[in-house]
Amino acid sequence: MSSQQPIIVIGTGLAGYTFGKEFRKYDEETPLLFITSDDGRSYSKPMLSTGFTKDKTADGLAQADAGAMADQLKASVRTMTKVTAIDAANRELSLGDEKLIYSKLVIAVGANCIEAPLQGDGAEDVYSINDLMDYAEFRKAIDGKKKVFIIGAGLIGCEYANDLTNGGFEVESVDPLPTVLATLLPEQASHAVQNALETEKGVKFHFGTVAESVNRKGDGYEVVLGNGETAEADVVLSAIGVRANTVLAEQAGLEINRGIVVNRELQSSDPNIYSLGDCAEVDGQLLYYVMPLMTCARALAKTLSGDTTPVVYGPMPVGIKVPVCPIQVSPAPRDVEGEWEIEQDDNNVKALFRDSSGQLRGFALTGDKVSEKMALQKELPPILP
Ligand SMILES: Cc1cc2nc3c(=O)[nH]c(=O)nc-3n(C[C@H](O)[C@H](O)[C@H](O)COP(=O)(O)OP(=O)(O)OC[C@H]3O[C@@H](n4cnc5c(N)ncnc54)[C@H](O)[C@@H]3O)c2cc1C
């Protein structure tokens, strides 16, 4: 065993484990230690919202347990262990009273579910799903039940709405915006998805209002909305979005903006601490998707094995898993002004976002039009050249 201090990775989500796999392609010797507050099973988080469609339970979605991952990565994996503090000056982590020294630290702690501010005696029973363990609990809770109320009709809310209806559940949902996926898609594309979920899957939506309280009623719950309407359900799921988990980094004095601020080499404001995945804001880009973190994992593996490699992001469209009306979207950068050009045939929408010079900067495709993704992707400029 090497006496060298390990590279410590906090987090065993897609970001942490993908970094480990990539790093071992270049370096078989440097000790690697993974620490995770969950059970350390390897799984693909996007698959959580496809359990019923693909007929997989939480266990069925797990690809390997922590022991198998440790063998595969020639690493140690400590599970159910929370890092409580980082002392950057002394390169020391606290796990409660225990202290560990690192050579380099990789923070891959993901994002947290935003909690809906709910009143009522059932508010504590509302589920939110951020990992495989949460998903296992949720599956247990809905077993034998009929109806799920979903707070939020964005990406994750819509994916669960479609998946739960595929599993035979009745779904009702609320969102403060005027339609589904309203922050990601132009109105026509949102309406196409909403229409498919309503007419083909029977999802009932309430728009322009919020869930204010969740009260126990019989064996289930009554959800009271801001507009005074109510809905009953057996289980309530909150899916109102995620926020980068920056708590540890902030306490350690690292620079934080919307996420942990890192440069193109994924290095934070402390030279021995790196970050990637849902917690990291890479040269101004905070993208809660898989493709960016894979790109980062490959670059960081090279950098930490001695070949400094800045991250380059090409265009990265995202597939939204609403099979009743498939969606591919490449959101335009936040600061770009422009206009949508829309072609529509029923629920098949092709929406192109062009800037004032006519350059394609984003797109949204629904239904049959998703087949045009590859061609359009080639026209987009890179996100981080
Ligand atoms: C339902 C759903 C569907 C999605 N679908 C898609 C999709 O179709 N396409 C796409 O590109 N993206 C999708 N995403 C987003 C994608 O899954 C995430 O971007 C990605 O999984 C983030 O991985 P991560 O490793 O950064 O974070 P996580 O998977 O959240 O991992 C964080 C890790 O950090 C650990 N941790 C946190 N704090 C501590 C601490 N203090 N001490 C120790 N360990 C700690 C956790 O235990 C965990 O191991 C989806 C997300 C969800 C929820």
Side-chain angles (χ1 to χ4, degrees):
M1 226 14 209
S2 166
S3 59
Q4 201 184 339
Q5 299 301 352
I7 294 178
I8 298 187
V9 182
I10 315 176
T12 58
L14 282 169
Y17 275 153
T18 308
F19 162 73
K21 287 178 203 166
E22 293 294 327
F23 183 73
R24 281 296 182 235
K25 291 181 185 169
Y26 307 105
D27 182 332
E28 297 227 320
E29 300 301 323
T30 302
L32 269 182
L33 167 61
F34 290 84
I35 302 173
T36 176
S37 50
D38 65 22
D39 61 13
R41 285 190 287 178
S42 166
Y43 71 105
S44 172
K45 192 184 268 197
M47 295 300 108
L48 294 180
S49 50
T50 65
F52 288 101
T53 309
K54 296 200 184 307
D55 197 19
K56 297 247 171 149
T57 60
D59 287 345
L61 290 170
Q63 291 156 349
D65 66 18
M69 289 309 295
D71 291 346
Q72 185 188 334
L73 300 173
K74 299 189 189 69
S76 303
V77 180
R78 289 188 58 171
T79 61
M80 310 308 281
T81 303
K82 195 165 178 189
V83 175
T84 48
I86 301 168
D87 175 351
N90 294 306
R91 286 191 280 123
E92 185 179 81
L93 293 186
S94 298
L95 319 175
D97 293 337
E98 187 184 348
K99 309 280 183 204
L100 293 176
I101 302 286
Y102 55 84
S103 56
K104 301 283 181 201
L105 180 66
V106 177
I107 305 181
V109 292
N112 295 325
C113 296
I114 297 172
E115 271 186 41
L118 294 169
Q119 307 290 316
D121 62 2
E124 291 284 301
D125 304 342
V126 172
Y127 285 83
S128 52
I129 304 171
N130 200 27
D131 59 31
L132 201 53
M133 290 164 69
D134 293 341
Y135 187 64
E137 286 296 310
F138 176 69
R139 287 291 294 255
K140 217 187 302 168
I142 60 174
D143 189 35
K145 301 284 169 55
K146 286 203 179 87
K147 182 167 170 191
V148 180
F149 189 93
I150 303 179
I151 304 175
L155 186 151
I156 292 174
C158 282
E159 291 195 351
Y160 279 118
N162 198 152
D163 193 52
L164 287 164
T165 56
N166 286 353
F169 293 90
E170 204 183 316
V171 171
E172 193 161 346
S173 176
V174 64
D175 197 286
L177 296 173
T179 178
V180 302
L181 294 161
T183 57
L184 276 174
L185 303 182
E187 202 183 331
Q188 292 88 335
S190 288
H191 282 142
V193 178
Q194 179 190 333
N195 182 44
L197 283 168
E198 283 173 342
T199 57
E200 292 182 46
K201 292 288 156 190
V203 178
K204 181 172 178 198
F205 289 105
H206 303 261
F207 291 113
T209 187
V210 295
E212 282 195 337
S213 61
V214 177
N215 303 306
R216 293 192 177 137
K217 186 168 181 188
D219 289 337
Y221 300 92
E222 181 185 64
V223 184
V224 182
L225 308 183
N227 63 5
E229 290 175 358
T230 59
E232 290 188 12
D234 299 308
V235 174
V236 183
L237 173 65
S238 172
I240 61 166
V242 295
R243 189 175 290 132
N245 180 355
T246 56
V247 176
L248 272 177
E250 201 167 352
Q251 285 168 352
L254 303 184
E255 189 185 343
I256 305 294
N257 187 30
R258 289 181 301 134
I260 302 170
V261 171
V262 294
N263 60 20
R264 293 280 191 109
E265 285 150 29
L266 303 171
Q267 192 175 41
S268 73
S269 53
D270 180 282
N272 294 309
I273 303 181
Y274 296 77
S275 183
L276 78 167
D278 280 1
C279 58
E281 184 175 325
V282 182
D283 196 10
Q285 297 290 330
L286 180 65
L287 301 169
Y288 298 120
Y289 300 116
V290 173
M291 216 195 284
L293 70 81
M294 295 284 179
T295 308
C296 288
R298 284 190 285 270
L300 186 59
K302 285 190 183 164
T303 295
L304 292 189
S305 55
D307 173 14
T308 300
T309 303
V311 167
V312 172
Y313 283 167
M316 295 192 277
V318 180
I320 302 181
K321 299 178 295 297
V322 179
V324 69
C325 183
I327 307 159
Q328 286 287 342
V329 60
S330 182
R334 287 149 55 93
D335 54 349
V336 170
E337 288 190 17
E339 283 186 12
W340 286 104
E341 275 168 21
I342 314 255
E343 275 174 37
Q344 180 163 18
D345 163 23
D346 199 17
N347 285 345
N348 311 303
V349 176
K350 174 178 171 184
L352 306 182
F353 189 83
R354 294 191 187 278
D355 65 19
S356 50
S357 72
Q359 164 75 50
L360 185 71
R361 302 304 298 268
F363 62 77
L365 306 169
T366 66
D368 294 350
K369 299 290 185 189
V370 296
S371 61
E372 297 190 36
K373 178 193 94 166
M374 292 297 274
L376 288 168
Q377 184 172 344
K378 291 188 186 135
E379 282 184 46
L380 286 173
I383 296 172
L384 288 178

